[in-house]
Amino acid sequence: MEDIIVFNTIVYFVTRGLKNIWYNRLMSMASAGIVSAGLILLGIFLLLGWNVQSWLVHMEEQCGVYVRLLPDAGGAALDQIENQLKSIPGVQDVYLYSYQEQVPENDSVQTVWRDAYFVSLSDLSVASVVAQAAEKVQGVEEVRDGQEQAEKIQKMTSAMRKFGLWIAVILILSALCIVMNTIRLGLLSRGRELEIMRIVGASNWYIRGPFVVEGVTLGLIGAGIAAVIVLAGYRAAIETLGGMEQMPLLLPVEQIQKWVLGIFALLGVLIGFWGSFVSTCRYLKN
Amino acid sequence: MIEFRNVSKFYRETGVRALRSVSAKIQQGEFVFLVGATGAGKTTLIKLLLREETADRGHVLVEGVDLAKIHRRRIPQLRKGIGVVFQDFRLLPERTVFENVAFAMQVVGQRRRVIRHIVPQVLELTGLLEKAECMPHQLSGGEQQRVSMARALVNNPPLLIADEPTGNLDPVSSVEIMNLLERINRHGTTVIVATHAKELVDQMQKRVLTLEKGLLAGDTMHGGYYSV
């Protein structure tokens, strides 16, 4: 018997909650919309952060410095340079490669081949030390420390993420207020019915239940819309940049979509639940 | 069953001393009129019984339990044992008579089968069986008040409180309502009626508690409106 009562109560909560959404559909749309807006912004900065993080991890795996040689370094000097580079503590291996460079000569431009080494490291933390040592090797023209670049990019994206996250937090708090207001309007419009419920002995949770269902549903709708927009936008962005073949360092959609869906669903439920719970608590207290 | 022990209530917002050391006992099965001018404290006494307010001093006991000590969470349980009828009926306009009465059973978690069995019985008791599918706006004032009473009774409460039940009714309907209350009381329900209806109080010769400016000015067993 208890199971039937619980089942009937749940059915009442769900049907009444969905009816509330329909009756106040304009406010409901506004609530879901603002939840979406906040989560979309959050999603953009999450994707940015995840991709940068993935790229930084990739860079760490590369873990090396680039050593460009003087134009006249060649032949036996190459072996000497290679041995000296290998002897620097922290160096894992060295790889010789050549590349073409355009150099001005007289009134024309000549294409010349230049030699360089990629020095792989055992740990990115020794990059600057190895770079300094490599600069002292005779025949070396320039050393580029990937660590410095990585740190610059990391700082920049960290600042962008913090800014974006603050904006997202503000939007999410706004969404919370809008949801609370939507629920409050529903409470006021059903004031007589709720009053009778209290008089005949309905528990606070019986009164609160449909409004919590309403809030959570609005949160989930907002989260669903945001997830679709963010994932579709991300997929479109990858395709615009030439697809995964051209941008192998970007995280594929299939890898991130379960995280986006999960985080958005959780936040949508939390915003909806919290907004409706606080609103109904205040109403019942008064 | 109900005891007011030196109950006082002061409303700080308005500076009104609504009740001053009111003491009275009401036994199970009694029919009690609560009379007094507007502002005498009748509604405050009812609010204390429903735990909508708590006394500043003294105690309100129902079946030996001090209402001030009940946790907020247990208030719905208290109210399930009290049926309340109001002057303005307070029906749900978009529901039928049957649905209005059934509503009281739904919110306390009653099964549909039980609701379908009990509600017609209560409608018959209140003379509304033929009006079960009518909407409230299709009923007279007296009929609407009877719907309100049916809703108050449907969960079989041991106590029924009526706050000015005939306030919006014509004399004929008022008599019908009072007769119905008396019939309900004969079934064993304790009935408390707050009213200004002097003629009905005089006619029914029930126990009368008279309030005057928050004080219990009179308590007569078979009294009239101006028994004091």
Side-chain angles (χ1 to χ4, degrees):
Chain A
M1 181 172 156
E2 289 291 327
D3 292 339
I4 294 171
I5 291 172
V6 168
F7 176 73
N8 284 343
T9 305
I10 292 171
V11 167
Y12 165 74
F13 284 178
V14 171
T15 49
R16 191 70 233 190
L18 295 177
K19 270 186 193 170
N20 286 350
I21 290 175
W22 178 250
Y23 290 152
N24 296 329
R25 44 193 177 277
L26 278 178
M27 273 306 291
S28 301
M29 275 167 54
S31 301
I34 196 98
V35 169
S36 275
L39 290 178
I40 286 169
L41 202 61
L42 180 72
I44 289 170
F45 285 97
L46 276 177
L47 288 175
L48 185 70
W50 285 338
N51 276 288
V52 166
Q53 201 60 38
S54 165
W55 181 75
L56 287 172
V57 166
H58 173 77
M59 276 208 62
E60 280 195 3
E61 282 166 4
Q62 298 294 306
C63 225
V65 298
Y66 291 85
V67 180
R68 191 166 72 165
L69 303 182
L70 289 166
D72 54 0
L78 271 180
D79 292 332
Q80 200 178 0
I81 292 168
E82 191 169 312
N83 289 333
Q84 283 185 40
L85 288 174
K86 277 184 179 172
S87 68
I88 298 171
V91 169
Q92 205 169 52
D93 209 344
V94 296
Y95 304 92
L96 176 65
Y97 67 97
S98 300
Y99 65 95
Q100 283 186 317
E101 194 182 55
Q102 307 283 329
V103 291
E105 195 166 301
N106 299 328
D107 293 325
S108 62
V109 173
Q110 291 247 342
T111 304
V112 297
W113 283 96
R114 296 291 299 272
D115 292 323
Y117 279 103
F118 173 72
V119 180
S120 69
L121 307 172
S122 54
D123 185 348
L124 194 58
S125 63
V126 303
S128 51
V129 172
V130 167
Q132 281 170 15
E135 275 169 0
K136 292 174 187 161
V137 171
Q138 201 170 9
V140 165
E141 185 182 51
E142 189 194 2
V143 175
R144 252 185 287 158
D145 177 3
Q147 167 77 350
E148 197 181 306
Q149 275 182 330
E151 273 173 11
K152 276 185 191 163
I153 290 167
Q154 198 167 26
K155 270 186 192 162
M156 194 171 71
T157 50
S158 177
M160 280 173 67
R161 275 173 79 183
K162 276 181 192 160
F163 173 74
L165 280 171
W166 272 112
I167 301 289
V169 163
I170 289 168
L171 275 175
I172 285 169
L173 286 174
S174 306
L176 193 69
C177 292
I178 297 279
V179 167
M180 281 171 65
N181 224 38
T182 303
I183 301 297
R184 196 169 147 268
L185 283 174
L187 286 162
L188 291 171
S189 70
R190 289 180 57 207
R192 166 143 295 192
E193 191 178 328
L194 298 178
E195 185 194 14
I196 294 168
M197 286 169 86
R198 293 189 78 174
I199 288 163
V200 300
S203 66
N204 282 351
W205 264 109
Y206 193 89
I207 295 171
R208 192 182 285 135
F211 296 101
V212 169
V213 167
E214 183 184 349
V216 167
T217 306
L218 289 176
L220 280 173
I221 291 171
I225 294 169
V228 164
I229 291 173
V230 165
L231 291 173
Y234 185 64
R235 197 185 292 274
I238 290 175
E239 278 163 24
T240 305
L241 292 168
M244 292 303 296
E245 298 81 25
Q246 299 295 322
M247 304 293 293
L249 293 182
L250 281 180
L251 294 169
V253 175
E254 293 74 23
Q255 195 174 332
I256 53 111
Q257 69 183 11
K258 66 175 183 283
W259 289 103
V260 168
L261 290 170
I263 290 171
F264 280 18
L266 182 66
L267 284 174
V269 167
L270 284 174
I271 291 169
F273 179 84
W274 192 247
S276 55
F277 188 80
V278 169
S279 255
T280 50
C281 277
R282 280 190 189 162
Y283 179 85
L284 291 169
K285 203 174 168 188
N286 290 335
Chain B
M1 179 204 182
I2 296 167
E3 189 181 349
F4 297 96
R5 242 186 243 166
N6 292 318
V7 170
S8 295
K9 178 69 185 174
F10 176 68
Y11 289 107
R12 282 181 185 79
E13 304 85 4
T14 52
V16 169
R17 207 167 285 281
L19 293 171
R20 304 169 198 236
S21 294
V22 171
S23 290
K25 275 186 191 173
I26 300 172
Q27 301 299 335
Q28 173 70 39
E30 275 201 85
F31 191 121
V32 178
F33 280 113
L34 206 54
V35 304
T38 304
K42 304 188 297 295
T43 302
T44 302
L45 217 57
I46 288 170
K47 284 184 175 177
L48 290 177
L49 273 176
L50 292 172
R51 249 308 287 266
E52 285 185 25
E53 301 276 356
T54 48
D56 294 318
R57 281 201 194 137
H59 305 276
V60 180
L61 298 111
V62 176
E63 299 290 358
V65 176
D66 189 341
L67 295 191
K69 291 185 180 154
I70 293 181
H71 194 276
R72 208 186 264 265
R73 250 182 283 131
R74 302 199 66 82
I75 293 175
Q77 199 61 33
L78 167 77
R79 291 180 184 168
K80 279 177 196 169
I82 304 175
V84 188
V85 178
F86 296 95
Q87 181 176 349
D88 57 355
F89 323 137
R90 298 198 193 173
L91 301 178
L92 298 167
E94 74 280 1
R95 296 187 195 212
T96 63
V97 166
F98 186 101
E99 287 164 350
N100 263 283
V101 177
F103 184 68
M105 296 186 86
Q106 284 167 353
V107 301
V108 298
Q110 268 300 355
R111 295 165 69 192
R112 270 190 224 143
R113 200 173 352 138
V114 173
I115 292 173
R116 279 199 295 268
H117 179 64
I118 298 289
V119 170
Q121 290 180 7
V122 175
L123 288 178
E124 193 170 7
L125 174 70
T126 51
L128 290 166
L129 196 55
E130 286 163 11
K131 306 272 182 175
E133 295 308 311
C134 292
M135 304 298 282
H137 68 269
Q138 294 172 311
L139 306 176
S140 67
E143 286 169 336
Q144 288 188 55
Q145 191 60 293
R146 279 191 272 152
V147 176
S148 179
M149 287 174 66
R151 184 181 62 200
L153 287 172
V154 78
N155 287 321
N156 200 24
L159 171 64
L160 179 70
I161 298 174
D163 191 1
E164 304 283 358
T166 60
N168 285 349
L169 303 179
D170 58 84
V172 172
S173 301
S174 299
V175 170
E176 281 176 11
I177 294 299
M178 284 301 177
N179 288 341
L180 182 55
L181 284 168
E182 199 170 18
R183 210 168 349 129
I184 289 164
N185 175 242
R186 270 190 247 124
H187 280 96
T189 305
T190 307
V191 173
I192 299 175
V193 181
T195 185
H196 285 138
K198 176 185 178 308
E199 298 80 12
L200 292 166
V201 173
D202 289 343
Q203 191 182 327
M204 292 180 76
Q205 290 291 299
K206 300 289 184 185
R207 183 181 173 191
V208 178
L209 295 175
T210 306
L211 287 171
E212 205 174 313
K213 291 181 185 171
L215 287 164
L216 186 65
D219 182 353
T220 47
M221 286 311 290
H222 298 285
Y225 197 94
Y226 292 121
S227 295
V228 178

